[in-house]
């Protein structure tokens, strides 16, 4: 147990240990209702290749994977004499790269698990991105049970909708994974 604590609070794992504490605090706030899953950034998840997975979930996954990999690297390499070929910075970079790759492969699985809110068709929404056009956009809608959700939306037309504009959700595009709206 002592070796695990030493590894967690020594370089390179200490970088991810700090981030893991931040992630745990964030999810605690989400669990008690002070924050929401979508509260991390107003970025469009699709812009990062995340599909419907919120940015907070992806960042949490990267942090957890990187922490685990850096801990394993420290425990495996820490017992040997320090080598100029395997410094802590190398373990840090390798842990981050593997965590990013692992998250990138996990995202499609998570997207399959997330339900599509087809009950939103016919409801009003408020644009939350700088623009909504036929290639980009996100909006906030309220579900039948009163929860607020951020969904990916698109709008066909010449004039893009801007932040704060009200629109109606018309249909869900299964192929694209977004809702069509009209302003």
């Amino acid at each position: 147990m002592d070796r695990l604590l030493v590894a967690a609070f020594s370089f390179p794992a200490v970088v991810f240990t700090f981030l893991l504490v931040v992630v745990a605090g964030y999810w605690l706030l989400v669990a008690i209702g002070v924050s929401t899953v979508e509260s991390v950034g107003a970025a469009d998840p699709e812009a990062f290749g995340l599909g419907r997975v919120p940015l907070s979930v992806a960042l949490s996954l990267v942090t957890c994977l990187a922490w685990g990999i850096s801990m394993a690297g420290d425990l495996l390499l820490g017992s040997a004499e320090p080598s100029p070929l395997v410094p802590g910075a190398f373990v840090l970079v390798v842990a981050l790269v593997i965590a990013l790759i692992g998250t990138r492969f996990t995202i499609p699985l998570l997207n399959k698990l997330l339900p599509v809110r087809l009950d939103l068709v016919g409801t009003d929404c408020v644009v939350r991105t700088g623009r909504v056009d036929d290639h980009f956009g996100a909006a906030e809608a309220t579900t039948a049970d009163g929860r607020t959700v951020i969904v990916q939306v698109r709008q066909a037309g010449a004039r893009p909708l801007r932040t704060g504009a009200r629109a109606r959700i018309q249909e869900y595009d299964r192929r694209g994974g977004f809702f069509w709206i009209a302003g």
Side-chain angles (χ1 to χ4, degrees):
M1 183 67 167
D2 289 338
R3 180 68 182 123
L4 286 176
L5 286 173
V6 169
F9 292 103
S10 62
F11 188 78
V14 70
V15 174
F16 299 115
T17 299
F18 170 73
L19 292 174
L20 195 62
V21 169
V22 171
V23 165
Y26 169 78
W27 286 108
L28 179 65
L29 292 175
V30 169
I32 61 176
V34 175
S35 187
T36 65
V37 174
E38 291 89 6
S39 65
V40 173
D44 178 15
E46 282 186 14
F48 294 101
L50 301 176
R52 293 185 309 277
V53 174
L55 192 56
S56 59
V57 173
L59 291 175
S60 298
L61 187 57
V62 168
T63 301
C64 291
L65 287 172
W67 180 80
I69 294 164
S70 66
M71 286 286 290
D74 186 47
L75 291 171
L76 289 172
L77 301 174
S79 60
E81 287 296 316
S83 167
L85 297 176
V86 192
F90 178 74
V91 173
L92 179 81
V93 170
V94 168
L96 189 57
V97 168
I98 292 173
L100 288 169
I101 291 169
T103 299
R104 190 72 173 155
F105 282 111
T106 306
I107 294 297
L109 299 172
L110 292 176
N111 276 319
K112 289 180 183 177
L113 296 175
L114 292 174
V116 175
R117 301 298 312 231
L118 294 180
D119 60 337
L120 293 174
V121 174
T123 62
D124 291 332
C125 64
V126 178
V127 173
R128 291 296 177 219
T129 51
R131 73 181 197 301
V132 173
D133 55 28
D134 58 343
H135 292 58
F136 175 83
E140 181 179 289
T142 304
T143 63
D145 61 359
R147 292 185 30 185
T148 302
V149 294
I150 304 291
V151 293
Q152 298 304 306
V153 295
R154 303 293 182 267
Q155 179 213 7
R159 198 189 83 207
L161 295 173
R162 300 285 178 207
T163 304
R166 296 198 168 276
R168 181 163 295 266
I169 297 175
Q170 293 184 324
E171 67 179 288
Y172 181 71
D173 186 319
R174 286 188 187 276
R175 192 164 157 236
F178 57 83
F179 291 94
W180 285 103
I181 62 172

